Amino acid sequence: MPGRPGPGPAASRSPSDPTSENPTSENAISENAISENAISENAISENAISENAISENAISENAISENPTSENPTPRTRSPGTRPPKRVLMPSYSFLLNGKPVTVEAPSDMPLLWVLRDLLNVTGPKYGCGVGVCRACTSHLDGEEIQPCVVRVADCADRQVTTIEGLADGDRLHPVQQAWLDCDVAQCGFCQPGQIMAAVALLKKTSHPTDADIDGIENVCRCGTYSRIREAIKKAAAQG
Amino acid sequence: MVYSLAASTLTVAAPLGCDAAPAEGAEPTAPAPRRSSDVLVTGADEEMLVLEVTEANKVVVRLPRVEVGQGVTTAVAMMIAEELDARIADVEIPLAGARTRGNQFTGGSSSVSSLYGPARELAALARAKLVTAAAKQWRLPARFLYTRNTRVFAPDGRSATFGSLTASAARITRPTVSSRPKPASRHRVIGRPTTRIDARDIVTGKAEYAGDLAVAGAKPTVVARPPTLGGKLVSVDSRAARAMPGVHAVVKAAGGVAVVADSFHHAFQARDALRITWAPGPLASLSDAEIRSRLRAAVPRLGTPPRGSTQTEGEFEFAFVSHAPMEVLTAVADVRADRAEIWFSSQTPMDARDSIASAVGLPAAKVKVHVIRGGGSFGRRLNHDAAIEAALISKAARRPVKLMWSRADDIRHGRMRPASHHRIRASHAGGRVVAFSHVTASVSESYEGKGLFSAQGGVGDAVAPALATAAGPLPSDDGLYNFGRVSGDSGSVDLAIPLGAWRSVDSGTMRTAEEIVVDEVARSLGKDPVAFRRITLRNKSVKAVLDKVAAAGDWGRTLPAGQAQGVAVHEEYGSCVACLVEIDAGDPKNPRVTRVVMAADVGTAVNPRGLEAQLMGTAIDGISTVLTAGLHIDRGAVRESSYADFRYARQRHAPLRFEAHIMPSRREPGGAGELGVPAAAGAVANAYARATGTRPRRFPLTF
């Protein structure tokens, strides 16, 4: 596909392993000590407590609830005394997010998508598959297109992450966003942040993309806005 | 009738049309156009479309419909802006939460037609009151004043914003200028191609879907589900999962075992650490081949053809198809001992509230349902499976939760368009069709399959029976063509498979198959498909859209070997459409639709730009469902699990050229959202047949 990155390893993996929603965890470098034993502050203080404790393998009417056995006592307060013995600190990662430095504490194999959405409340990148095939989360890492659902946070350390939120210059839209408005591309809108980020990445590589170049965009739009996406990319290219 | 409500700012309300939309969606034959007089008039404001002019000069209409991409908020904003002479940027259309009575159903392509009267009446009355208030203030005859850009103007150039007049206008009981909507000849907004009012929010990433909401304390939640449809939980060992970092709760959910965690990453990881024993679902021994043969056996007999006639016959099979909206099912739920609050995208929020209330054991009045914009629907959000599930998990975990189905959950556990089998026979004699018969069978959702979610997550009583029936009267019964004696019958195969109405419902399969047969009859009679349709179509409007695509699409132009054109037409929702497709099937296993030309007559097209978008979407639906996108059932489980194997069209499958032609009309609006699917699907199949010299019979073709 000229001028386009092919489907990444995640895209080729998913058909053979369609059940995985956490593809990065499969390939994650083993950091068991960190990811399995680290307990975040929130987890300790906000553990749900339910009364209907049940025996190990049976499911009773209601909640499975906290483990009734004391093999793994569940800490319920922040008191250091109740923490599991093997607790170690969560690693922290710093990167530039839409031009601003951020630091997050997260397991190394946590996909950037969930770091953005669940830890940093940056919700422009959307979850659509978790395996890098729908590309609704498409964003940029050092200016290159990525699918944050299959990129580990550890791989973003000290780099520049740009999401749809970082594309406009204040109130002035990026030319591709403006072309999207001019062509009224969006329908439900859910895939469009990813579509726009993919288009921006394409135009960076190929200032005047051919139809074949545009055909190389893998992002799914279930509403079927493809014709307007094509028109908007050409419009942005013509103005570019 | 329009009411005025007591308020300190100007607030007017109109009863909302409660037409037979669900039936229209389910009975594609209904030939009668929607009646604007078919409205439910009640006395309480919660049942009505309410318009408010704020002191900040905003016009706010809380809409009892959901926006899922179809552009209903923009269309309503245009109706309001038209009658009020307000700037469209000053009109806000938030989505109303679930009400207790009235018509809050989004479906059956009914939103624009049901809102067209009430919205305009509402705004026209508001305008009359604002003008009357300004006239009083300025001591001028009201008839000298005019309105523009959310302001009232006097002949001497003075002006006042609606916002500055709203308090005094609220006290006007008898406006001194007409409060009737403008005649269509004076429309300046309705009918003008308009960009979506939410477009800027979308392109900047600000548009919020359920999963983007920051509801206090609502933690990411996922559910471990069985490998087979309807599989049952036998046992679970959740110790490892609960010991994982960031995990707040592990609770039993009706569909499996739910994990509540700090992030979706933690939730997925803990879900995968659950050690679960599942019992296979009720269909564990059932696969596609058997489903197909059961469907074939359930098709009623074709009657006896007229004596002396020649037969053109075809049997058609359609696979299950996932709705697969881009935004997976997501619901935020906060269930307390005495009340509950749920946020999600729903086409049927009133039914959802009742179902959620009964599931968690609260009176409906204690359940608040917030309707959130949806990332696509295509019928999927008629059901509220995820909202009920989220509510039950919140109750069990005793905390607010943000439940998200994974994409694999969405595709593997339904819902889907039912698989179906069709047998169609056209009998011709003397160069014309003298009898046309279509018998069919489709899968219907059996009672045993209706666990908690199907029984309670389904659509309301008004819709359920129609959807549950395999097929109502056949689309061909509406007399689209002069085909002599038209007959049909339908059977069904009950299976425990979660089904749902899919954009254009039965028409998507039935009319597609019929349009293929129409082409084959034309071929048997040695006639051109367009010419044959022109002489056999009954309705002038349908002939007109067909002529439009034939002319605009240069029907009959010479194409290289392996390429061909195809056409099809469809009539439903008080509207009609034609589609012309050009396909390159040089590689028959990897065909590409290169061009699509559509023409539609939907009566008044409130927003031609939005209508074009809907037609564009249905073209992609036609391309996908005919060529590539379907679901396999392997021993009771759905084989597909993401867009990698559920092969919905991507950019490289979309036409390089698309155009839509909208027929001018002064009729009241018909429906449009689902209209194009059967025509697009039929045209793709007919183009493929002509390009390859084959007879398409089983869909999707490259499956």
Side-chain angles (χ1 to χ4, degrees), chain A residues 14-15 18-19 21-22 25 35-36 38-40 42-43 46-49 51 56-57 59-60 62-67 71 107 109-111 114 117-118 123-124 126-129 133-134 136 164-165 171 173 177 180-184 186-193 196 211 214-215 217-218 220 222-230, chain B residues 68-69 194-196 199-200 202-205 207 209 211-212 219-220 233 235-239 242 245-250 252 257 262-266 268-269 271 323-324 326-328 373-376 378 397-399 404 406-408 412 502 592 609 612-614 616-617 620-621 641-644 648-652 654 656 658:
Chain A
S14 58
T19 60
E21 272 101 24
N22 261 332
S25 62
S35 61
E36 289 183 12
I39 298 202
S40 76
N42 286 344
E46 292 184 20
N47 262 321
I49 298 164
E51 289 127 300
E56 280 175 22
N57 289 328
I59 289 288
S60 65
N62 217 325
I64 291 168
S65 87
E66 297 305 321
N67 192 334
E71 287 170 36
D109 63 347
M110 185 162 176
W114 301 119
R117 292 185 57 85
D118 293 345
T123 55
K126 305 301 186 197
Y127 167 91
C129 69
V133 301
C134 83
I164 189 70
E165 287 92 340
D171 279 346
L173 295 179
Q177 288 172 308
W180 244 247
L181 273 192
D182 294 344
C183 299
D184 198 24
Q187 289 186 33
C188 85
F190 199 80
C191 76
Q192 300 299 348
I196 290 168
D211 276 328
I214 295 171
D215 276 357
I217 296 180
E218 292 275 325
V220 176
R222 177 62 183 81
C223 297
T225 65
Y226 298 115
S227 297
R228 287 186 179 176
I229 289 173
R230 186 181 299 275
Chain B
V68 290
T194 301
T195 297
R196 295 180 63 100
R200 193 179 174 100
I202 289 170
V203 303
T204 52
Y209 305 81
D212 303 331
K219 290 291 179 189
L233 184 66
S235 67
V236 58
D237 176 351
S238 60
R239 283 173 297 178
R242 272 184 282 114
V247 174
H248 292 271
V250 178
K252 184 184 172 189
V257 181
D262 269 339
S263 77
F264 280 106
H265 171 64
H266 292 95
F268 280 129
Q269 289 213 316
R271 179 201 64 176
H323 299 79
M326 287 307 299
E327 180 204 11
V328 289
R373 65 176 299 133
F378 319 106
R398 299 178 158 211
R399 60 168 310 133
M404 184 182 81
S406 72
R407 176 60 63 193
R412 290 190 158 168
W502 197 100
R592 169 84 184 258
R609 212 171 195 196
E612 183 193 78
Q614 290 304 293
M616 186 181 290
I620 297 298
D621 287 336
S641 68
S642 78
Y643 295 110
Y648 227 79
R650 300 189 191 228
Q651 185 66 266
R652 65 179 176 277
L656 292 161
F658 173 87

Side-chain angles (χ1 to χ4, degrees), chain B residues 102-326:
Chain B
N103 170 8
Q104 203 170 356
F105 173 77
T106 307
S109 295
S110 67
S111 290
V112 165
S113 57
S114 65
L115 295 164
Y116 189 68
R120 288 179 309 127
E121 286 168 20
L122 191 68
L125 175 63
R127 178 191 170 278
K129 292 192 171 195
L130 288 161
V131 168
T132 305
K136 274 191 161 181
Q137 189 175 310
W138 294 332
R139 299 176 193 284
L140 289 168
R143 67 178 187 280
F144 291 168
L145 308 185
Y146 64 98
T147 42
R148 202 173 60 205
N149 293 337
T150 333
R151 281 173 174 266
V152 182
F153 289 83
D156 60 14
R158 271 183 295 179
S159 76
T161 65
F162 290 176
S164 70
L165 294 164
T166 187
S168 50
R171 293 190 295 272
I172 304 289
T173 48
R174 287 184 164 271
T176 54
V177 291
S178 167
S179 59
R180 289 179 34 205
K182 294 172 184 172
S185 59
R186 285 182 49 217
H187 283 171
R188 294 186 310 150
V189 182
I190 290 172
R192 189 178 68 197
T194 301
T195 297
R196 295 180 63 100
I197 59 173
D198 52 2
R200 193 179 174 100
D201 281 351
I202 289 170
V203 303
T204 52
K206 288 196 183 82
E208 279 194 330
Y209 305 81
D212 303 331
L213 300 177
V215 173
K219 290 291 179 189
T221 300
V222 297
V223 172
R225 299 180 197 278
T228 54
L229 287 163
K232 292 276 183 296
L233 184 66
V234 175
S235 67
V236 58
D237 176 351
S238 60
R239 283 173 297 178
R242 272 184 282 114
M244 290 172 77
V247 174
H248 292 271
V250 178
V251 297
K252 184 184 172 189
V257 181
V259 178
V260 184
D262 269 339
S263 77
F264 280 106
H265 171 64
H266 292 95
F268 280 129
Q269 289 213 316
R271 179 201 64 176
D272 294 344
L274 292 167
R275 298 166 59 127
I276 302 177
T277 307
W278 301 102
L283 307 177
S285 59
L286 198 66
S287 295
D288 277 332
E290 161 124 26
I291 294 173
R292 284 205 305 271
S293 78
R294 282 207 217 170
L295 279 170
R296 191 178 304 115
V299 175
R301 288 185 55 245
L302 282 168
T304 314
R307 191 171 302 173
S309 61
T310 308
Q311 317 310 322
T312 296
E313 292 187 1
E315 282 198 51
F316 301 88
E317 294 172 286
F318 291 86
F320 293 98
V321 183
S322 175
H323 299 79
M326 287 307 299

Side-chain angles (χ1 to χ4, degrees), chain A:
Chain A
M1 224 57 83
R4 296 285 308 162
S12 54
R13 172 168 61 244
S14 58
S16 58
D17 182 16
T19 60
S20 171
E21 272 101 24
N22 261 332
T24 54
S25 62
E26 296 162 27
N27 295 343
I29 299 157
S30 174
E31 298 192 29
N32 290 339
I34 294 169
S35 61
E36 289 183 12
N37 295 326
I39 298 202
S40 76
E41 298 297 305
N42 286 344
I44 294 168
S45 60
E46 292 184 20
N47 262 321
I49 298 164
S50 171
E51 289 127 300
N52 293 334
I54 52 162
S55 60
E56 280 175 22
N57 289 328
I59 289 288
S60 65
E61 313 294 284
N62 217 325
I64 291 168
S65 87
E66 297 305 321
N67 192 334
T69 71
S70 57
E71 287 170 36
N72 293 306
T74 307
R76 299 214 166 106
T77 73
R78 286 176 190 233
S79 157
T82 65
R83 284 176 180 164
K86 282 196 283 183
R87 175 181 161 82
V88 294
L89 285 175
M90 185 92 72
S92 87
Y93 300 98
S94 298
F95 53 92
L96 274 184
L97 174 58
N98 297 328
K100 295 194 183 108
V102 294
T103 300
V104 290
E105 281 190 13
S108 62
D109 63 347
M110 185 162 176
L112 177 63
L113 178 64
W114 301 119
V115 170
L116 292 170
R117 292 185 57 85
D118 293 345
L119 303 186
L120 298 168
N121 199 30
V122 172
T123 55
K126 305 301 186 197
Y127 167 91
C129 69
V131 291
V133 301
C134 83
R135 306 194 164 212
C137 61
T138 300
S139 299
H140 297 169
L141 184 61
D142 291 341
E144 298 270 326
E145 175 183 337
I146 54 160
Q147 280 67 52
C149 69
V150 290
V151 172
R152 309 172 337 142
V153 63
D155 295 336
C156 303
D158 306 319
R159 300 174 72 180
Q160 294 191 40
V161 173
T162 308
T163 68
I164 189 70
E165 287 92 340
L167 203 55
D169 179 6
D171 279 346
R172 207 172 70 234
L173 295 179
H174 185 282
V176 172
Q177 288 172 308
Q178 187 59 50
W180 244 247
L181 273 192
D182 294 344
C183 299
D184 198 24
V185 171
Q187 289 186 33
C188 85
F190 199 80
C191 76
Q192 300 299 348
Q195 301 279 5
I196 290 168
M197 296 307 278
V200 170
L202 172 63
L203 288 166
K204 204 172 154 189
K205 284 202 169 78
T206 316
S207 58
H208 289 86
T210 62
D211 276 328
D213 293 332
I214 295 171
D215 276 357
I217 296 180
E218 292 275 325
N219 298 50
V220 176
C221 172
R222 177 62 183 81
C223 297
T225 65
Y226 298 115
S227 297
R228 287 186 179 176
I229 289 173
R230 186 181 299 275
E231 182 192 344
I233 291 173
K234 289 180 176 176
K235 188 178 174 109
Q239 290 166 352

